[in-house]
Amino acid sequence: MTAKLQLSGVKKKLRGRQVLDGVDLDVAAGRSLVIIGGSGQGKSVTLKCALGLMKPDAGQVLVDGADVTRMPQEIRARVMRKFGMLFQGGALFDSLSVWENIAFRLLYADNVKRADARERAIEAMRRVRLAPDFADVRPVELSGGMQKRAGLARAIIARPEILFFDEPTTGLDPITADAINDLIVEMVKELGCAAISITHDMASARKISDEIAMLHNGKIVWRGSTAALDASGNAMVAQFVAGRADGPIQAVV
Amino acid sequence: MINPFAPIGRGVLGVLAEIGRFTAFAARAAASCFAPPVFAGQLLRQCMAIGYYSLPVIGLTAVFIGAALALNIYVGGARFNAESFVPNIVVLGITRELGPVLAGLMLAGRVSAGIAAEIGTMRVTEQLDAMTTLSTDPFKFLIAPRVMAATITLPLLVVVADIIGVMGGYLVAVNSLDFNGATYLRNTFDFLENQDVILGLVKAAVFGFIIAAMGAYQGYNSSGGALGVGRATTNAVVGSIVLILALNYLITAFFVE
Ligand SMILES: Nc1ncnc2c1ncn2[C@@H]1O[C@H](COP(=O)(O)OP(=O)(O)OP(=O)(O)O)[C@@H](O)[C@H]1O
Ligand SMILES: [Mg+2]
């Protein structure tokens, strides 16, 4: 099976530090990959390179087999339509109302009529468990967890083929977090999306992933199916999963 | 050995590189005004925000400058019995120079800073990245409407400033310098030539473009949280003022020749 999205040998240096040092990853349609790893290890940077928001210094990003890092701008813009992304900080547009945020792509890139776009935005809000009463408020009036769910609704509304979730359940209560996990599983299983998620929440990681990869020092140090996580045989993975301060990875104090 | 000229050379090279980067950005911004899609709603909103809401500040500036100009020219003219030239010089000074330059400087403070702060905040909170992932080019959605709105509305504001500025001069001349109102206005309009007004409007359009493009450039390239946005805002104001004054001279010199 060919990969929907494949990163090979991606390198990125930021402020003199080699953040990514040859990252290899791939995910197929209908599959969900979770990236785990310590804070500041370059998980978010990996997603930004995959999305073309940062240009890798070396390596390839293949979408359906075509390298997007070497594409002309116009063709690349067309490939970007396959992506949906939830940003770690939400990144909602604070000059627009919540529903306009969620429907942004429908309104301004896909030329959907306002009334239809609003209807679909409210439907998406329901799916992420956001009450429709909040459709007309500004994002600053939402709580952190609600902003996250609005960002999630915005990422999934246009039914993209490849979804990126940067910490989708951080800051949510356990019940809402589990509903979001279910939603991600549904997007992958029912709609056949390829998903790459980042999370520190191991319960969520187990629930939403088919496979797990661990990023450390700019490289993927372990990758395997979710079932193999507890028997990974990798000391770093074992330490991360168990959440112990002592082990091969030193906590930065 | 330390070469004492090295820092100067580096500084000059740095400024040249910055001018080059800004020019490339401004060219891209200008190009994105002409390529589809056009976000008409955004353009309209920016015309209101940049043009309409600048009317009070432009009007106030113009009336006081026109009044002060009339007084000064009266005093200067009196030294060689040429007081009667007040209306001519007031209208010339306002349409060719003070109208566009002062409107440009006021908008550098009001508009350039506003654009830099808004787009800068969007940069540091990843809203620009988010917009790109939603298949919308920030150049077309955010920057083109602002650049177009400023380029279109600043000339209109300058027409208003010209009229109010001449009125300021008229009020002072008639009320405290004993000019005859009808004669003052006739002298003003007889003396004014088309090219005076055209020069002022060309300047205004160029300044409008510079103000919006500089604000967008600084905001788009900002980094480093609130501190970075603050720096972008300051740089936008200083950068657009310097460019306005330099281009004002160049455009004037070009028209005079
Ligand atoms: N825009 C940027 N400019 C410069 N350096 C950056 C930038 N973005 C990230 N970095 C650096 O890259 C490294 C990796 O950052 P990244 O955001 O990918 O971490 P992360 O793995 O997502 O961490 P966390 O789990 O805390 O979100 C960090 O050292 C960070 O300082
Ligand atoms: Mg991160």
Side-chain angles (χ1 to χ4, degrees), chain B residues 22 99 113 143 205 216 239:
Chain B
F22 174 67
I143 297 173

Side-chain angles (χ1 to χ4, degrees), chain A:
Chain A
M1 192 156 60
T2 60
K4 188 81 195 161
L5 173 75
Q6 183 178 6
L7 275 64
S8 75
V10 170
K11 295 191 182 192
K12 183 73 190 172
K13 201 172 204 165
L14 285 166
R15 279 201 230 99
R17 208 188 121 210
Q18 194 71 43
V19 176
L20 302 183
D21 192 15
V23 168
D24 299 303
L25 271 182
D26 58 271
V27 60
R31 304 279 290 173
S32 168
L33 173 76
V34 164
I35 303 176
I36 58 173
S39 192
Q41 290 295 329
K43 302 183 298 296
S44 297
V45 170
T46 304
L47 292 197
K48 282 179 192 161
C49 285
L51 276 163
L53 298 174
M54 281 185 181
K55 196 171 163 46
D57 303 330
Q60 293 182 308
V61 177
L62 305 168
V63 177
D64 289 320
D67 186 0
V68 291
T69 58
R70 264 167 275 275
M71 270 179 188
Q73 191 70 36
E74 311 85 59
I75 300 176
R76 164 108 148 253
R78 219 172 303 148
V79 176
M80 288 289 289
R81 286 180 171 268
K82 298 180 181 179
F83 292 131
M85 163 89 178
L86 165 66
F87 284 82
Q88 189 166 1
L92 299 174
F93 306 122
D94 33 37
S95 59
L96 301 176
S97 67
V98 168
W99 85 263
E100 286 171 318
N101 260 281
I102 294 172
F104 189 89
R105 182 173 155 175
L106 305 180
L107 287 171
Y108 299 112
D110 299 344
N111 291 316
V112 174
K113 278 204 222 65
R114 263 182 99 76
D116 298 343
R118 191 185 154 94
E119 213 162 280
R120 281 173 68 181
I122 287 176
E123 169 60 25
M125 287 175 76
R126 222 171 261 129
R127 300 192 66 182
V128 298
R129 299 199 156 200
L130 259 182
D133 323 353
F134 290 104
D136 293 301
V137 305
R138 302 269 149 166
V140 286
E141 295 169 54
L142 299 183
S143 75
M146 288 161 82
Q147 291 185 17
K148 191 124 233 176
R149 281 177 278 158
L152 191 63
R154 186 174 69 178
I156 63 171
I157 193 168
R159 315 214 156 186
E161 296 170 34
I162 305 170
L163 278 163
F164 298 97
F165 300 116
D166 199 341
E167 309 203 358
T169 55
T170 311
L172 302 183
D173 64 86
I175 299 166
T176 312
D178 201 49
I180 297 300
N181 290 337
D182 289 339
L183 177 69
I184 293 173
V185 172
E186 185 192 323
M187 296 295 297
V188 174
K189 292 298 164 230
E190 286 174 23
L191 300 176
C193 305
I196 298 188
S197 320
I198 294 171
T199 183
H200 292 298
D201 172 356
M202 291 313 298
S204 165
R206 285 176 204 274
K207 182 153 186 186
I208 65 178
S209 67
D210 300 307
E211 283 180 286
I212 294 186
M214 175 149 176
L215 185 68
H216 189 72
N217 279 343
K219 288 197 170 71
I220 300 294
V221 292
W222 182 82
R223 169 165 185 182
S225 72
T226 308
L229 185 66
D230 293 314
S232 65
N234 182 307
M236 283 191 269
V237 175
Q239 184 195 351
F240 195 88
V241 171
R244 287 190 308 265
D246 56 324
I249 305 170
Q250 288 302 304
V252 185
V253 185

Side-chain angles (χ1 to χ4, degrees), chain B residues 24-42:
Chain B
F25 183 93
R28 188 172 164 201
S32 66
C33 293
F34 296 103
V38 175
F39 294 103
Q42 298 298 313

